[in-house]
Amino acid sequence: MSDGTPSSVSNVTARHPLRIGDPAPDFQARTSQGEMRLADFRGKWLLFFSHPADFTPVCTSEFMALAREYPRFEAMGCALMGLSVDSLYSHLAWLEAIRTRFGVEVPFPVVEDPSMAVGHAYGMLSADAHDSATVRATYFIDPTGIVRAIIWYPMSVGRSVDELLRLLAALQRSADGDVMTPEGWRPGDDVLGPVPMTQAQMRDSDASGCWFYPTRPDHPPPRG
């Protein structure tokens, strides 16, 4: 365990909100499961999310829901990691309170960010912010370390874990570019094929009889 020095962040060139397609900034920090780097999660998907503060009602509801659904994320090859400005000792006390009061064991690490170094690097906070009270950001990071989706919620609204799982499945299904997923897509639903790019392709298209809406039954490749 480190001596309590602030989290270190590397490979950051600007403090602005991350965009889809950006590399996720690497960092090293203390967590509830020991010292970790974001790069430790390369090779698998990562759901990296921030919460305003420990011992708060909405955050507690989210952590319990994420903990209960953790096996589903794990089965999809996705790790979870939380973050807030609270100290490591606050994280440990809060996670233990959740365990003893509600019988829920939180199986994923929670990063301390007292200097707000990570929050600034990810654009979770403005450059002159003095606290993280309004931060509830979620980043879907692919196995190569690229941000593939971002969801932001206000402080007063909890995230939907079901939607996080749905979005993860859609991102994984469309990752190789062979299909797209329509509104509300879930595994087993029809997918969308590539749109014709020439008149000849348009005329040859037989996708449900509508060239600009090429739906078809999904036949996903087996997971390697």
Side-chain angles (χ1 to χ4, degrees), residues 57-59 61-62 136 153-161:
V58 176
C59 297
S61 72
E62 290 183 334
R136 199 180 295 284
Y153 282 77
M155 180 176 157
S156 58
V157 178
R159 286 166 277 219
S160 166
V161 175

Side-chain angles (χ1 to χ4, degrees), residues 41 44-48 70-80 139-141 164-165 168 172 223:
F41 296 91
K44 63 173 64 177
W45 286 81
L46 173 65
L47 184 70
F48 180 42
Y70 180 76
R72 294 177 63 187
F73 286 99
E74 195 172 40
M76 297 169 70
C78 182
L80 305 180
Y139 301 88
F140 292 78
I141 303 170
L164 299 181
L165 284 160
L168 173 63
Q172 292 180 337
R223 293 184 64 179

